[in-house]
Amino acid sequence: MKKGRLLVLAAALAGCALLAVSAASAGGSHRSVSDTLVFGTAADPVILDGPLVSDGESLRPINQIFEGLVGLKPGTTQVVPLLATSWQANKTGLQWTFKLRQGVLFQDGTPFNAAAVCFNFNRWYNFPGPLQNQGVSYYWNTVFGDFAHPAQGNPGPGQGLYKGCKPVGKYTVILSLNRPSSSFLGALSLTNFGMASPTALVKYKADAGTVDNNGVFHPAGTFGTQHPIGTGPYMLQSWTVGDKLVLVRNPHYWGTPAKLARIIFKPISDNAARLQALQTGEIQGYDLVDPADVPTIQKTSSLKLLSRPAFNIGYVGINQSYKPFDNVLVREALAYGLDRKSVVDSFYAGRGQVADQFLPTSLVGYATKGVPQYPYDPAKAKQLLQQAGLTLPVPVDFWYPTNVSRPYMPNPQQNAEAFGASLNNSGFKVTFHSAPWRPDYLSSVQAGKAEVFLLGWTGDFGDPADFLNIHFGAQGTEFGFNNPSLFSLLTKADEEPNLEKRAALYQQASVEVMKFLPVVPYVHSSPALAFQKNVDGYQPSPVSLEPFSTVYFGK
Amino acid sequence: MSLAEIEAYVEEELAPQGGLWRDAWRRLRRNPGALVGFGLVGLFVFIAIFAPVISPYDPRAQNLLLVAHGCCQGPTWAHPLGADQLGRDELSRIFYGARFSLVIGVVSVSVGLSIGLVLGSIAGYLGGVADTVIMRTMDVMLSIPGLLLAIGIVAALGPGLWQIMIAVGTTNVPIFARLLRGSILSQKENDFVLAARSVGVPRRSILVSHILPNAISPVIVQGTLALATAIIDVAGLGFLGLGPQDPGTPEWGTMLTQVDRYLQSAPFLAIVPGVAIVISVLGFNLIGDGLREALDPKLRGRA
C-alpha cells in the first residue's frame, strides 16, 4: 500500500503541470452579448468606505459608487471638476473656496450640498480613537494628519494640514488649511475622499466598530458592508464575500449614465486561475496580469491587453543605519553593482523601462539634466569599495518578499536572484533573507530590520510629493538616514505655489536623491490588464483606478 | 529434466547454503523489477557523484539574455532540457539536484534508522517499562501525519537543508522502531536464543550477534522504501518554501515551486524536475519491493 501511495504522490507532482496546460488549451471563446460585465479581481474589498481603506481591491468598487469634489481626467493625473465645478485658493494659499455642482442627489435621495461636504470632512476630522490608526485611515493620516480629538500621540488641531470646513450658502464651501500645500488639490482627487450620504452614514453607523491589533477595522454598522451610499454612476446591489460583488446602474445619476446595467467583481486570488477564467469566458476582464502571461494573451485572438501608463517605481532600498552603508561610496558601489538593465529587459516582458531616478517620467519634477547615472560596472563598484577602505568581498543582507506580485516587481525572488548574482560579481557577498509580504516583510522593512531590500511604490495622484516627500521627507526607520538639507528642500518644494518654481525645486530634489542614494531605483513598469476582445471603453489610468461607467460591449 | 539441469539443481541444493544474504541476492538478481530499480538508482547515484564532470554548465550561472524574449527558452542543442527563468541550464540543475536529493535522502533515513534501531531494540529486547514508555512515545509520534510533523519541526528549527534532513529523519524514527521491535519479539522466542542464553552468552551479545542479524531484514526493506519517501518529503517541504534559504540552490522540490508562474508559458520547467523525482523514487521502490520478496522467509528456497 505504501508503495502505491508514494507513486501516486510522485506522479501527481509531475502531472499537475500537464493538467494545468491541457485545461488552459481546452478553454473556448464563449461569448454572449449582455449588459453585465464580470471582472476578475485578486481579492475581496476590505470594506466599502473610502477613508477607511488603502488597498486597490477596496478602492476599485468604491471608485464606482463614490465621487469626490475633484477627480482625475480619465487616463491622466490631471485634476478636473467632479462634484465641485470650480475652485480657488486665496492669496496665502490657506483658504480654498469650492463651488459645488447643483441638483445632485445621493443614491438614497439625500440632496448633495455644502452641508453634506462639511459633514464628510467633519466625520474624518472627528474620527474616534481607534479609527485614527495608521492602518485604518491611512490617507487622512498621510495627507491631512491632524484630528479634532487625537489619540495615541496623533497630531491634534493645528498640527496637521486640515483646519476646518465652512458652508457658505447652499452650494459653496470653504476649506481652511494650517499651511499652504500645492499637493492638496491632487490629494483631494483620491478615491478615499469621496462624498458619502450623511443620512446613510448616521443611519448605518459607519464609525461604530473595533480595531484589532493588526490595524483591521471590524465594523458594527452596515454602512461599509451593505449600504455604501455615494453619488456615483453605480450603486451596490449585493456583496457576498468570497463570491461576488454586484453593482447596478444608478438610474438618477447626474452625469452620463453608465453604459452597462451591471458590473460584477469576482475575486479569484490565483493569477493562473484568473487567466483561465478569462480564457473560458467566465470573466470578461482582469487586473494584475503577470508579465509571464503576456505572450499567451497576445497570442489568443479572442483576448486583448491594455496597458496603464508607467506611474510607479521599483527600487532597491538601503538602510543606512547598517554599516558600511552609511558611506555614500558604498551606496554608489551598490548602484554600479546592480545589473538593472538586464533585470528590466528580461523580466518585465517589454513593459518596463530602466529608472534613472525616483520620479516617473510623466510627473512634474522629473529631472532631465544632471542626473548621475550608474550603469552596471563591476570594476567600478570594486574600485569604490576599496576606496571606502573595505576588504572585498563586502557582505550584504539582501531581503525580498515572497507570496506577492506587484506591478513593479512581478516576481521579487527572480529580481533578487539576478541582483544577487550581479552584486556577487561586483565585490559584494550576498546573503538572502525572505519573508511573506504580509505581515512579516513590510513590517520588518519598516521597522528597519532589513539592510538592503526590494520594494516599490505606485503613485496615488499626480504630484511628486506623493513619491519624494512620502519616502524621503523626514527621518524614518526604513531608510535610517538623517539628511536635513534634503528634508528642508522637499518641504520647500511642497509649499511652493508657483508651478514652474515648484517643478524646478522637485527636479533639484530628484537629482539630490540620486546623488545621496537612499535607494537605487531600477524600474518604471507599465501594468497590464486583460480583456475579452469585445470589451470597449475601458480607459487605463496611471493611478490604477478606472471608471467602469464608460465600459460597453462592442462587436 | 535434462542432465545439465539436474547437475545444476544438485549443485545448487547440495552446495553449502550461502546464508540469508547470498540467498536473497541470488533471488534478487532474477527479479526483473529489482534489476530495473538497480539500474535507475545506479544512474541516479552516478549522476549525483559525477555531477560536476557531466554538467555542461554551472548550475547557478545565470544568463539573462536567454529570457530577454520571455520565459523561457525550450530545449535547444546548447541547453538540452532548456533554460529556466533566470537563464540557468536546466540539465545541469537537474544533475546537481540529484546530489541534494541523494544526500538528503541518505542522511535523513540514516538519522531515522539509527535512532529507531536503538529504541526498537531496547523496547523489544528489554520489554517491560522501557517497552511501554518507548512504544507509547512512538505511538504519539505516529498519530501525527508524517509530513505535518516534518513541517512542524522545520517551522520550529527554521527553514534550511539540515533542518529538513532532521525533520524527515525524525518522522522516520517511530516507523523503524516499531518494525524492529516486532521483529525482535518474534525472534526472541526462538530456540537458538534459548540455547545461547542457556550456555551463558551475555544479553548484549545475544541481542547484537544473534537476534539483530535475523530481525533486521524487514528494516532493510523499509529503509529502501523510506529513502523514496524521504526524497518526496524533502521535495514537498522544498515546494512549500521550507527548503534551502538560498533560492539559487538546485533542489528539485524548490525548483518546482519556483516555476508555477510559468506553467502555461514554459511547462517543461515543472515537468523536468517532476519527472526526475518520479524516476528516482520509482528506482528505490522497485529495489525495496524486490528486497522484500527476496528476504521473505516464506519464499525462501523458491527461485
Side-chain angles (χ1 to χ4, degrees):
Chain A
M1 279 323 287
K2 188 105 189 164
K3 179 196 69 175
R5 189 176 62 93
L6 284 177
L7 283 177
V8 169
L9 259 174
L13 279 169
C16 62
L18 293 168
L19 266 179
V21 173
S22 59
S25 54
S29 56
H30 162 77
R31 199 184 285 182
S32 65
V33 177
S34 80
D35 54 0
T36 303
L37 178 92
V38 187
F39 189 84
T41 65
D44 266 304
V46 178
I47 190 171
L48 299 174
D49 190 356
L52 302 185
V53 300
S54 56
D55 66 302
E57 296 302 347
S58 301
L59 290 170
R60 194 196 319 270
I62 290 172
N63 191 35
Q64 319 305 323
I65 301 172
F66 296 92
E67 292 171 313
L69 290 181
V70 297
L72 298 179
K73 188 177 168 196
T76 70
T77 55
Q78 187 193 330
V79 175
V80 293
L82 204 55
L83 288 178
T85 50
S86 66
W87 53 86
Q88 199 168 14
N90 72 350
K91 277 251 161 58
T92 56
L94 294 175
Q95 283 206 343
W96 290 70
T97 309
F98 289 86
K99 298 266 184 229
L100 304 182
R101 196 175 291 280
Q102 304 191 7
V104 176
L105 289 181
F106 284 103
Q107 290 155 5
D108 61 354
T110 310
F112 169 76
N113 52 31
V117 172
C118 283
F119 188 94
N120 275 281
F121 274 94
N122 286 333
R123 175 195 174 209
W124 306 329
Y125 187 50
N126 286 286
F127 268 146
L131 294 190
Q132 297 175 19
N133 187 313
Q134 274 270 358
V136 180
S137 52
Y138 175 80
Y139 280 101
W140 180 271
N141 269 285
T142 37
V143 173
F144 295 104
D146 49 344
F147 294 96
H149 311 286
Q152 319 146 359
N154 281 333
Q159 292 173 292
L161 184 63
Y162 181 79
K163 191 167 182 194
C165 175
K166 197 171 80 181
V168 180
K170 218 172 168 193
Y171 291 107
T172 305
V173 153
I174 296 177
L175 289 176
S176 333
L177 306 178
N178 285 321
R179 59 175 168 83
S181 165
S182 300
S183 56
F184 164 69
L185 200 62
L188 271 193
S189 74
L190 285 169
T191 300
N192 306 79
F193 301 135
M195 292 295 133
S197 156
T199 324
L201 284 173
V202 174
K203 188 171 167 193
Y204 301 112
K205 300 189 178 60
D207 296 344
T210 53
V211 173
D212 67 22
N213 287 336
N214 297 324
V216 179
F217 177 56
H218 300 281
T222 55
F223 178 83
T225 52
Q226 293 166 36
H227 304 100
I229 291 171
T231 60
Y234 281 102
M235 26 190 224
L236 181 72
Q237 186 182 56
S238 67
W239 176 20
T240 318
V241 173
D243 180 29
K244 61 183 176 184
L245 188 151
V246 184
L247 298 178
V248 289
R249 185 193 285 143
N250 173 5
H252 308 296
Y253 185 56
W254 58 268
T256 318
K259 290 193 169 150
L260 292 176
R262 291 204 304 169
I263 303 287
I264 297 176
F265 292 119
K266 193 170 176 51
I268 305 172
S269 62
D270 184 58
N271 229 319
R274 275 206 299 284
L275 173 57
Q276 279 175 26
L278 184 70
Q279 286 169 329
T280 59
E282 185 190 347
I283 59 176
Q284 281 91 50
Y286 76 93
D287 197 356
L288 296 172
V289 173
D290 189 328
D293 292 331
V294 165
T296 314
I297 294 166
Q298 281 169 336
K299 264 184 272 170
T300 314
S301 61
S302 63
L303 304 180
K304 68 175 170 190
L305 208 63
L306 296 183
S307 301
R308 293 192 177 113
F311 198 60
N312 55 26
I313 179 74
Y315 60 82
V316 178
I318 303 167
N319 192 324
Q320 297 185 24
S321 62
Y322 291 88
K323 279 185 194 310
F325 285 98
D326 52 338
N327 186 338
V328 72
L329 289 175
V330 180
R331 298 200 296 278
E332 279 174 15
L334 190 85
Y336 280 114
L338 292 169
D339 191 355
R340 300 180 287 165
K341 188 174 177 338
S342 291
V343 165
V344 173
D345 287 352
S346 302
F347 302 152
Y348 288 79
R351 318 188 62 79
Q353 81 189 82
V354 179
D356 70 341
Q357 58 191 294
F358 203 73
L359 292 176
T361 44
S362 61
L363 207 50
V364 174
Y366 177 82
T368 46
K369 275 185 291 220
V371 183
Q373 302 294 321
Y374 303 95
Y376 178 49
D377 188 344
K380 176 108 184 172
K382 284 180 193 164
Q383 181 209 325
L384 284 166
L385 287 176
Q386 276 159 346
Q387 202 180 322
L390 297 166
T391 41
L392 304 186
V394 177
V396 181
D397 272 347
F398 199 107
W399 289 58
Y400 65 90
T402 55
N403 299 333
V404 71
S405 175
R406 310 303 302 164
Y408 46 80
M409 52 177 180
N411 186 352
Q413 180 182 323
Q414 210 169 330
N415 288 2
E417 282 191 72
F419 281 144
S422 75
L423 286 178
N424 282 338
N425 282 338
S426 313
F428 290 93
K429 174 90 190 71
V430 172
T431 310
F432 287 111
H433 289 271
S434 63
W437 177 250
R438 224 169 257 187
D440 310 12
Y441 187 77
L442 278 180
S443 52
S444 298
V445 166
Q446 279 160 2
K449 286 181 194 157
E451 184 174 72
V452 170
F453 52 90
L454 288 184
L455 212 57
W457 179 258
T458 299
D460 302 300
F461 53 93
D463 197 284
D466 186 39
F467 280 83
L468 290 177
N469 294 51
I470 280 190
H471 286 84
F472 313 121
Q475 190 173 4
T477 47
E478 186 173 347
F479 302 110
F481 68 88
N482 185 13
N483 187 340
S485 68
L486 182 62
F487 298 159
S488 66
L489 177 62
L490 286 171
T491 312
K492 197 172 145 204
D494 184 40
E495 286 177 356
E496 175 59 53
N498 180 304
L499 192 67
E500 261 172 50
K501 283 187 193 162
R502 196 158 181 261
L505 284 171
Y506 269 117
Q507 284 173 8
Q508 190 193 338
S510 193
V511 172
E512 283 307 312
V513 165
M514 285 313 287
K515 282 182 185 160
F516 184 60
L517 282 176
V519 303
V520 184
Y522 64 91
V523 71
H524 302 298
S525 78
S526 162
L529 298 125
F531 282 97
Q532 303 278 359
K533 199 128 214 166
N534 60 342
V535 178
D536 280 326
Y538 195 93
Q539 172 78 269
S541 153
V543 296
S544 298
L545 279 173
E546 293 89 6
F548 279 75
S549 57
T550 53
V551 177
Y552 62 99
F553 288 103
K555 283 186 189 165
Chain B
M1 247 185 230
S2 71
L3 192 64
E5 275 175 310
I6 293 170
E7 271 177 4
Y9 175 78
V10 169
E11 223 171 60
E12 212 169 83
E13 281 300 287
L14 300 185
Q17 285 285 318
L20 180 69
W21 296 108
R22 244 174 92 183
D23 200 27
W25 173 237
R26 210 173 55 231
R27 262 175 294 129
L28 202 56
R29 271 188 329 203
R30 295 186 194 161
N31 181 339
L35 287 182
V36 172
F38 275 115
L40 291 179
V41 170
L43 182 72
F44 175 56
V45 173
F46 175 83
I47 287 174
I49 293 174
F50 294 101
V53 183
I54 55 178
S55 294
Y57 298 89
D58 177 352
R60 290 165 185 273
Q62 301 171 2
N63 183 355
L64 297 186
L65 290 177
L66 289 179
V67 287
H69 304 290
C71 178
C72 301
Q73 198 189 48
T76 56
W77 283 113
H79 300 275
L81 291 182
D84 75 357
Q85 70 276 15
L86 285 160
R88 296 172 296 206
D89 181 49
E90 188 77 359
L91 182 69
S92 307
R93 290 180 67 74
I94 289 293
F95 283 172
Y96 274 86
R99 294 194 138 185
F100 284 96
S101 287
L102 185 69
V103 169
I104 293 169
V106 169
V107 170
S108 56
V109 169
S110 310
V111 168
L113 190 69
S114 46
I115 301 176
L117 215 61
V118 173
L119 291 177
S121 353
I122 294 174
Y125 194 62
L126 292 184
V129 182
D131 184 26
T132 313
V133 171
I134 291 174
M135 290 329 287
R136 287 305 79 77
T137 315
M138 295 298 114
D139 285 347
V140 170
M141 286 176 73
L142 274 178
S143 66
I144 307 168
L147 197 56
L148 207 60
L149 181 62
I151 291 174
I153 296 172
V154 176
L157 297 175
L161 274 181
W162 277 106
Q163 290 87 327
I164 284 192
M165 291 189 225
I166 293 171
V168 174
T170 313
T171 58
N172 272 323
V173 167
I175 299 170
F176 287 117
R178 264 178 83 120
L179 206 61
L180 193 70
R181 171 182 174 269
S183 188
I184 285 180
L185 280 182
S186 66
Q187 295 290 336
K188 211 163 85 169
E189 310 304 325
N190 274 342
D191 288 344
F192 69 85
V193 177
L194 195 67
R197 207 185 292 165
S198 61
V199 297
V201 181
R203 266 161 61 128
R204 201 185 331 150
S205 306
I206 295 180
L207 177 63
V208 173
S209 19
H210 296 273
I211 297 182
L212 264 186
N214 286 293
I216 201 93
S217 61
V219 176
I220 303 266
V221 174
Q222 179 60 37
T224 334
L225 295 175
L227 260 173
T229 335
I231 291 174
I232 287 197
D233 283 353
V234 167
L237 289 173
F239 184 76
L240 293 174
L242 298 169
Q245 269 287 281
D246 176 2
T249 312
E251 196 274 312
W252 291 345
T254 315
M255 285 165 70
L256 260 181
T257 186
Q258 287 170 0
V259 296
D260 56 349
R261 296 173 67 236
Y262 306 105
L263 278 180
Q264 289 220 9
S265 48
F268 67 91
L269 285 181
I271 294 173
V272 167
V275 168
I277 295 172
V278 170
I279 290 178
S280 58
V281 168
L282 185 68
F284 281 110
N285 270 318
L286 288 173
I287 293 184
D289 265 6
L291 266 179
R292 177 161 54 202
E293 280 167 27
L295 288 170
D296 191 338
K298 290 191 205 108
L299 298 175
R300 265 184 105 172
R302 272 189 269 159

